[in-house]
Amino acid sequence: MEKDFEELVKEYQREKEAGAEAGRMTELLREIMEISYDGRLMYELALWYWKDGYPARAKRTCKQIRQFFREGEWADRAGETLSLLDGDEDLPEILEKTWLSGETAAEDAEKEKEAPRPEKNGSGPQIPPVIEEAFRGMVGMESVKKELVSFYNIARLEKLREEQLGISGNESRSYNFVLYGNPGTGKTTVARIIGKVLYALGIREKDAFMEVDRGKLVSEYVGQTAKNVQKALAEIRGGTLFIDEAYSLYKKDDAKDFGQEAIDTLLKDMEDHRSEYSVILAGYRGPMTEMLNHANPGFRSRFTYHIVIPDYSDEELLEIARSVAGSHHYIIEEKGYEALKKRIDRERIDETFGNARFIREVINDAEKNLADRLVKMGHFEQADLTVLKAEDIFPEEDQGKDLKELLAELDGLTGLAEVKKSVSEMLDKIAVGKEAERRGIQGDFGMGSLHMAFKGNAGTGKTTVARLLGKILAEMGVLKRGDVFIETTRADLVGQYQGHTAAKVKETVRSALGGVLFIDEAYALVKDESDSFGREAVDTLVAEMENHRDALVVILAGYTGDIDRFLAENQGLRSRVTRDLFFADYTAEEMTEIFCSLAKKGGIRIPEDVLPSIRRCLEEKASAPDFGNGRGVRNVFEAACRRKDSRIAARMREGAVLADEDFVTFTEEDMLV
């Protein structure tokens, strides 16, 4: 039957009073330490080690006391004793007499009754004090704690086997770590905790911790990179080296990059001096895995421990926000947390989401918004100085128009009857599917792929509709960022050398995540069968569309015939672009309406008797193959404005008397463009 802490302490006191041997005392104290770390008893363990002829173990235990308790009586006593041991002096006789003879047992027993002591956590693993203390006050991290406790236990087991059985630990084991995680998940904090644990266990001689990145290791000159790495390793001997964003050392498509020199130098030194320091690498999971697998055949094997640090949940991020605001002496109103959830949902798109870092930025911005709001208020109460409201966290100007306004704007566009019908049907399907999902109704209510082809001549409103549609889909909860609209062409996607194209496509897709990627004249991506770079762009685009199918909408735009041929020749795209919207040329009536709309926005009056001249002018211009529909109408309007100004200037030179309205009125003469 397992003994509890109090029973073991009583047994230890009885054995001590009975004058038991030092070996028996250390055995009992180690058993007590399995349950709880107690300052006085850990200090006595150090003294028993010294008495039993193990000064190295006594030193290590004193170091552990200072690490665990940091300050107070036991940390001070351990420091004093460690100084004596480091000086190769015998411990004063008073220490043995006072602490190992039992004279203080009765006095300290009362103190021990009052002192709070961590208890076992049910049947689950006990968290060692060094880890528990390091994570105190931190939100989440449960899976990380579990991984570190597992590491701690196996490392401690090896120490116990060596101390009690004389069995040396696994000499090939290296205490090096890889931390996989996205920005703001606490990788640096976890790395520092690992460094403390390594020191507390006596695996590392120092609690020194050095943080570096590519900029501090990689040089632009031949041979200098190796020197930078060797210098860092020399400085951190006995401690822990942390390399943040370590994947940046590996450039897959650049064999001449000096980052490879840094990896090779590090690898050799880790092999030659594996027991002298620990290395912790950190970064995104994908790039880190690629580096470990491909940078050097032996690189991955040097890292025994791999820990995945997950993103924070929404609830954990809200708790972090509460803590950050509280540290600045603010409180967040209840509606403010709803605003925070909207901000989090809008920004959490891919692995670049900033997690806790994002929350800190939001709170900082909210404080600035509060300051601006109070200035505008003029008069405010004292309580207003400490409350962050929803409008501070997610200002209305950042939220854009609501769904009703956006649909009215789409409906208000001139012409486009067929396009409006297609969009309406798509939005109806989305709305029905979401309501069915809310009610738990089973059936085929999926919206399918939302990637589209916008086909039509130039100037028919394809870009305008695409921008509006992105905002509408965001308001309906299909996309996260209605404000993200990336307009691109072949020049933005196709590179100039092997491997460049794929990187450009991936970077462009990443910039569009959460919103719309609009590729104008998409058929130009592949010029002909020999265009290998264009083919690479299409293949990469197809893969990215599949990888991020729920995170963005890709719209391919261009002339009808060209788009049809392009999709027919690229079945990977055709299978993912399932909606075709046809943008017809504007009729004469619609072009006239567009012209009048431009005039109204410009504050220009059009008399009724001038309208026929405008229509005739537009009909005549539209017969040219390169007119450009709406774009052509704007060109005609701007030309009419120039004619108007020249007409008025001529009359001014003639000394004519002009009314104010003459300056803002079109005449038939102005339409002779």
Side-chain angles (χ1 to χ4, degrees):
M1 183 176 177
E2 189 179 63
K3 298 177 182 178
D4 64 19
F5 180 87
E6 298 296 340
E7 290 175 344
L8 284 170
V9 171
K10 289 178 181 178
E11 183 177 353
Y12 167 71
Q13 296 293 354
R14 288 196 299 270
E15 294 279 5
K16 185 165 70 170
E17 292 169 3
E21 294 182 355
R24 172 58 179 163
M25 295 294 92
T26 57
E27 178 184 345
L28 276 171
L29 286 171
R30 282 199 300 265
E31 192 173 351
I32 292 172
M33 295 306 114
E34 289 287 342
I35 300 174
S36 171
Y37 281 4
D38 176 279
R40 180 178 69 85
L41 295 177
M42 282 187 75
Y43 181 64
E44 291 194 16
L45 176 60
L47 298 181
W48 281 117
Y49 273 140
W50 165 76
K51 185 175 178 63
D52 203 25
Y54 294 102
R57 295 180 188 178
K59 289 181 182 180
R60 184 165 62 246
T61 303
C62 286
K63 290 178 180 179
Q64 289 175 332
I65 294 170
R66 297 180 69 191
Q67 177 68 26
F68 293 157
F69 299 100
R70 298 185 182 179
E71 57 185 24
E73 179 182 0
W74 308 114
D76 293 342
R77 287 183 181 273
E80 294 169 1
T81 304
L82 189 59
S83 297
L84 293 173
L85 290 169
D86 284 338
D88 293 325
E89 300 179 27
D90 289 336
L91 292 180
E93 186 177 336
I94 188 65
L95 288 178
E96 180 182 357
K97 178 180 179 182
T98 303
W99 292 102
L100 303 185
S101 65
E103 293 181 15
T104 61
E107 177 183 345
D108 290 325
E110 292 301 316
K111 294 182 181 179
E112 294 298 329
K113 289 181 181 179
E114 300 174 3
R117 196 172 286 113
E119 298 179 357
K120 284 190 174 182
N121 184 15
S123 59
Q126 181 193 3
I127 299 179
V130 65
I131 297 177
E132 187 173 43
E133 173 63 26
F135 280 99
R136 182 167 292 131
M138 294 178 64
V139 175
M141 293 281 186
E142 294 307 318
S143 63
V144 178
K145 291 179 191 176
K146 184 177 179 181
E147 290 283 352
L148 290 183
V149 168
S150 177
F151 155 70
Y152 179 93
N153 289 340
I154 192 170
R156 193 166 186 278
L157 172 63
E158 290 189 352
K159 284 291 182 183
L160 291 174
R161 282 161 57 86
E162 181 181 358
E163 292 173 357
Q164 298 185 22
L165 304 176
I167 301 174
S168 298
N170 185 351
E171 294 183 359
S172 65
R173 184 187 299 280
S174 57
Y175 292 97
N176 302 311
F177 296 73
V178 180
L179 305 181
Y180 305 98
N182 296 330
T185 51
K187 296 187 293 297
T188 302
T189 300
V190 172
R192 290 184 180 278
I193 292 172
I194 291 173
K196 292 179 181 178
V197 172
L198 290 169
Y199 171 68
L201 285 166
I203 294 173
R204 295 293 160 247
E205 298 177 357
K206 301 187 296 185
D207 62 353
F209 182 90
M210 178 187 293
E211 180 179 353
V212 297
D213 56 17
R214 177 185 170 91
K216 294 180 180 178
L217 297 178
V218 179
S219 173
E220 298 178 358
Y221 308 103
V222 176
Q224 187 59 46
T225 294
K227 292 180 180 178
N228 291 345
V229 175
Q230 290 164 353
K231 179 183 178 184
L233 294 174
E235 290 179 8
I236 202 60
R237 287 280 193 270
T240 301
L241 177 69
F242 174 60
I243 306 178
D244 197 13
E245 297 182 351
Y247 57 84
S248 64
L249 296 175
Y250 176 59
K251 303 292 185 181
K252 180 179 180 181
D253 300 311
D254 188 357
K256 297 181 180 180
D257 183 73
F258 290 141
Q260 186 64 47
E261 182 181 352
I263 293 173
D264 296 341
T265 305
L266 176 64
L267 177 61
K268 185 178 186 306
D269 200 90
M270 289 172 68
E271 180 62 26
D272 295 342
H273 306 279
R274 69 172 58 197
S275 64
E276 297 181 18
Y277 59 87
S278 291
V279 176
I280 304 175
L281 308 181
Y284 293 113
R285 187 165 190 170
M288 289 294 294
T289 300
E290 184 174 37
M291 178 191 70
L292 290 170
N293 290 341
H294 302 295
N296 187 300
F299 200 39
R300 186 181 186 89
S301 63
R302 298 299 184 274
F303 296 87
T304 307
Y305 302 96
H306 297 252
I307 299 176
V308 177
I309 305 177
D311 284 353
Y312 288 104
S313 67
D314 287 359
E315 291 71 22
E316 289 169 342
L317 289 175
L318 294 181
E319 185 58 36
I320 291 172
R322 188 193 311 275
S323 175
V324 172
S327 68
H328 297 178
H329 305 289
Y330 288 104
I331 60 173
I332 302 173
E333 69 168 2
E334 285 305 311
K335 290 183 179 179
Y337 288 106
E338 293 301 318
L340 263 174
K341 287 180 181 178
K342 290 181 180 179
R343 290 289 305 272
I344 292 168
D345 182 65
R346 190 176 81 157
E347 298 295 331
R348 196 197 287 273
I349 297 171
D350 67 347
E351 67 272 16
T352 61
F353 174 63
N355 285 280
R357 190 179 306 163
F358 167 73
I359 292 297
R360 287 192 291 270
E361 291 172 358
V362 169
I363 297 301
N364 287 337
D365 288 342
E367 293 177 22
K368 296 175 185 176
N369 294 334
L370 169 62
D372 293 340
R373 180 168 59 82
L374 293 180
V375 169
K376 293 177 182 178
M377 287 172 60
H379 174 74
F380 48 83
E381 302 296 330
Q382 187 175 1
D384 293 327
L385 297 171
T386 59
V387 179
L388 297 177
K389 295 182 174 291
E391 59 195 284
D392 303 320
I393 293 169
F394 201 169
E396 289 185 7
E397 57 266 27
D398 292 345
Q399 300 185 40
K401 299 177 181 178
D402 62 25
L403 182 59
K404 186 176 180 180
E405 291 175 304
L406 291 169
L407 291 174
E409 187 174 344
L410 176 64
D411 189 58
L413 294 177
T414 300
L416 305 176
E418 186 176 338
V419 171
K420 293 174 183 177
K421 180 182 178 182
S422 297
V423 170
S424 179
E425 290 173 350
M426 178 177 65
L427 299 181
D428 287 345
K429 182 174 180 61
I430 293 171
V432 170
K434 284 189 168 292
E435 180 62 18
E437 181 182 8
R438 188 186 69 81
R439 297 187 182 197
I441 301 173
Q442 300 297 317
D444 183 14
F445 295 103
M447 66 185 76
S449 172
L450 290 178
H451 303 309
M452 306 171 220
F454 279 17
K455 303 185 297 187
N457 293 329
T460 48
K462 296 187 290 295
T463 305
T464 300
V465 172
R467 288 184 183 276
L468 263 176
L469 188 55
K471 295 176 182 178
I472 291 170
L473 292 174
E475 281 300 309
M476 296 187 73
V478 177
L479 293 176
K480 291 192 173 186
R481 298 287 305 273
D483 60 321
V484 172
F485 183 87
I486 303 299
E487 185 175 358
T488 187
T489 62
R490 174 187 167 94
D492 304 306
L493 299 175
V494 178
Q496 298 177 346
Y497 53 85
Q498 196 65 37
H500 187 211
T501 295
K504 291 186 73 172
V505 173
K506 289 179 180 179
E507 182 180 351
T508 302
V509 169
R510 183 178 297 280
S511 68
L513 290 179
V516 172
L517 174 60
F518 183 82
I519 306 178
D520 200 12
E521 298 182 351
Y523 45 80
L525 286 176
V526 182
K527 294 180 177 179
D528 51 47
E529 293 182 358
S530 64
D531 185 4
S532 60
F533 291 167
R535 177 63 55 195
E536 183 183 4
V538 171
D539 292 343
T540 306
L541 178 62
V542 169
E544 291 297 294
M545 289 168 69
E546 184 64 25
N547 293 338
H548 303 287
R549 67 178 72 181
D550 298 323
L552 85 162
V553 169
V554 175
I555 298 178
L556 308 178
Y559 293 108
T560 302
D562 292 329
I563 285 289
D564 286 341
R565 281 190 295 273
F566 175 64
L567 291 175
E569 294 168 359
N570 297 275
Q571 289 302 308
L573 273 177
R574 177 74 279 181
S575 64
R576 288 164 177 80
V577 178
T578 59
R579 302 171 189 271
D580 290 15
L581 275 66
F582 177 68
F583 289 71
D585 288 346
Y586 290 114
T587 65
E589 290 78 6
E590 291 167 348
M591 288 190 291
T592 303
E593 182 180 336
I594 293 172
F595 186 97
C596 292
S597 176
L598 292 172
K600 184 177 181 180
K601 290 179 181 177
I604 297 176
R605 190 175 68 88
I606 301 177
E608 284 293 327
D609 60 350
V610 178
L611 288 174
S613 298
I614 294 175
R615 177 178 174 134
R616 284 194 299 272
C617 176
L618 291 171
E619 284 181 323
E620 178 183 342
K621 295 290 184 182
S623 63
D626 60 347
F627 175 65
N629 285 281
R631 202 171 302 155
V633 174
R634 176 175 290 277
N635 290 338
V636 170
F637 171 75
E638 292 174 352
C641 288
R642 291 193 295 269
R643 289 276 299 178
K644 171 181 69 66
D645 292 342
S646 294
R647 174 177 54 81
I648 294 174
R651 296 196 63 190
M652 290 170 59
R653 286 192 293 269
E654 295 170 354
V657 178
L658 298 170
D660 290 350
E661 66 179 21
D662 291 334
F663 286 83
V664 291
T665 303
F666 275 146
T667 66
E668 291 184 0
E669 181 182 347
D670 301 327
M671 299 315 300
L672 298 176
V673 297

